[in-house]
Structure formats: C-alpha cells, structure tokens
Amino acid sequence: MNHKIFVLSTKNLIFDLDGTLWDPRATIIKIWNQVLVKHQLIQRELKPEDMDQYMGLLAHDIMKDMIPGISDLQAQELLSEIVAEENKVLRIQGGILYEGVEETLKSLATTHSLFIVSNCQDGYIESFLEYYQFNNLFVDFESHGRTQKPKSENIQLLMERNQLSTEDSVYIGDTQTDYDSAGSNRLSFIFCKYGFGKLNNSLYEPSILTFSDLRNSVSDSIQ
C-alpha cells in the first residue's frame, strides 16, 4: 500500500524530542535502575521497553505511576538525583539518533526555522544538542523542566517569544499529548509513526514512517 504524502506549507518546524528525534531509553534506563535499586524501590531492573508507556510524560507522573504510594517529597528527591545524572551522562553517551535525522535536520535548517518543545527536565534538550553538535540548527527550545508548564503552554510560549504564526508553523511528534498540544495552539501536526506513541485516530494524516519522509511532507511557505 502506498503511503499518502501530505505537503504542508510552513516555514517553522517545532519538534518533540523523545520518540521523534532520538531514542534515549538504553542510556536513561541504566540511570533509573541505578537510583531505584540503590533505594530498594524496585523488585527487578527495568528494561528499555518498560519505559515505552512513559515516554513523553512528565517525570513526576512517571515516578508516581511506577512506584505506587510514593510521597511527592520522595518522588522529587529521587527525580533530582536521576535528572542530574541523566543530563551528565547524555552529554557524554547520547542516545540513539533515528535514521536520517542528522542529514534531514541539516537540510531543513537551510530552508526552515527549527525549534524543540519537550516535556523533559531542564538541561535535557541542551544535552541532546551538545552531544550531536546541533546547537546551530535550532533557533530556540523550551521544556517543562524550565517552565513547569505543560507542553501546550510551552509551545505557546515559544511561539510568542519567536513571533511565530499558526499559519506557517507545524508541530512534529509521536504521541497523543503531542497531537493535543498542537491542536490547543491551532497548529498543524505531523505524526511520527516510528516513535513510542499511538494516536486515538489510527488513520490520522499527515504522518511519516521515517524521519527522512519529513522532507517530502513540508514545503517552505515563504518560497
């Protein structure tokens, strides 16, 4: 079956991070295991696939679901320990960049303005950009860790800060939260089928099967 191609006219591309640009599970799962085992909070070590259901969610919500009954204070103390280690290790080890990401981003950056908005902690996007030396490709980024706001509000903040209009901007992500956050800002949305999440509408378009497909899905509205 041929995959339908939808071409959106836009000049601003706003990306989610985990499940869209890279897969960090193999790196971060070691850190979660290290901290949770040390505090004797899990019976068995977590596997990378155990994190699939949590990718894109807020770290505090992940911790509360993973360890039922944990207090807010203990959850915050554990997360502080995990976050500090994640940011340090990701700068050194990175994650798994999806196939085609580097060359596609470098190509798109010559014709579009690129941004990132993620539900991650402060310092996480910076670790990603530093490890892959992508700082010069992105105009701006925002995270939950920096603002303590949900993704929908962070998208709005970034758009206001950079004077982006809804007509020539699109959000690209892999979860229902990404879709909902784009919709609340009246943004077009491109779904990454290769990522961690699923949409309630399984037939949603536009979508991409690989990151490289993005070059065929967006055109520059200023041309």
Side-chain angles (χ1 to χ4, degrees):
M1 186 170 107
N2 290 329
H3 185 59
K4 205 179 216 179
I5 294 177
F6 290 77
V7 179
L8 299 178
S9 181
T10 180
K11 63 180 179 180
N12 306 307
L13 307 180
I14 310 172
F15 294 93
D16 170 53
L17 183 47
D18 293 346
T20 298
L21 298 176
W22 74 346
D23 177 356
R25 292 173 302 169
T27 301
I28 66 175
I29 200 71
K30 296 176 185 175
I31 298 166
W32 281 71
N33 279 325
Q34 176 186 324
V35 173
L36 295 179
V37 167
K38 182 176 74 172
H39 292 278
Q40 301 181 326
L41 290 170
I42 52 176
Q43 299 298 316
R44 65 169 181 85
E45 289 196 354
L46 300 167
K47 299 177 181 179
E49 55 267 27
D50 292 329
M51 298 298 287
D52 289 5
Q53 61 183 312
Y54 298 124
M55 300 308 289
L57 301 181
L58 300 179
H60 184 269
D61 295 338
I62 296 172
M63 186 67 73
K64 296 284 283 188
D65 184 82
M66 191 177 288
I67 308 173
I70 190 173
S71 69
D72 287 340
L73 177 59
Q74 188 178 15
Q76 190 54 52
E77 289 174 345
L78 289 169
L79 286 173
S80 294
E81 190 174 345
I82 289 171
V83 162
E85 189 65 16
E86 274 188 0
N87 289 346
K88 181 173 68 176
V89 173
L90 284 169
R91 274 187 162 88
I92 300 170
Q93 297 182 12
I96 299 173
L97 205 62
Y98 287 116
E99 185 177 355
V101 167
E102 183 169 3
E103 52 266 38
T104 302
L105 286 178
K106 288 179 177 178
S107 174
L108 289 171
T110 65
T111 54
H112 296 72
S113 295
L114 311 185
F115 305 85
I116 297 175
V117 175
S118 171
N119 269 342
C120 60
Q121 69 262 20
D122 190 23
Y124 188 88
I125 298 175
E126 293 91 327
S127 295
F128 167 78
L129 296 175
E130 184 175 322
Y131 181 79
Y132 291 106
Q133 299 182 345
F134 284 168
N135 283 287
N136 63 322
L137 299 182
F138 290 88
V139 177
D140 195 7
F141 57 84
E142 195 54 89
S143 67
H144 170 77
R146 190 157 69 175
T147 67
Q148 301 303 305
K149 296 179 182 294
K151 181 169 284 187
S152 57
E153 292 184 36
N154 282 330
I155 291 174
Q156 181 181 7
L157 279 173
L158 179 134
M159 291 184 68
E160 290 175 350
R161 190 161 67 224
N162 294 278
Q163 299 181 320
L164 309 184
S165 69
T166 57
E167 291 77 16
D168 55 14
S169 303
V170 62
Y171 190 75
I172 301 149
D174 71 308
T175 67
Q176 185 67 40
T177 298
D178 294 336
Y179 172 84
D180 294 340
S181 299
S184 67
N185 284 282
R186 296 180 293 111
L187 279 178
S188 296
F189 177 71
I190 296 176
F191 177 56
C192 301
K193 286 189 172 182
Y194 56 83
F196 301 125
K198 295 180 180 179
L199 296 185
N200 294 336
N201 176 6
S202 61
L203 300 178
Y204 176 83
E205 297 291 355
S207 64
I208 53 176
L209 293 172
T210 69
F211 193 82
S212 300
D213 292 340
L214 193 56
R215 280 182 284 196
N216 297 322
S217 300
V218 296
S219 64
D220 194 339
S221 63
I222 62 176
Q223 289 182 342

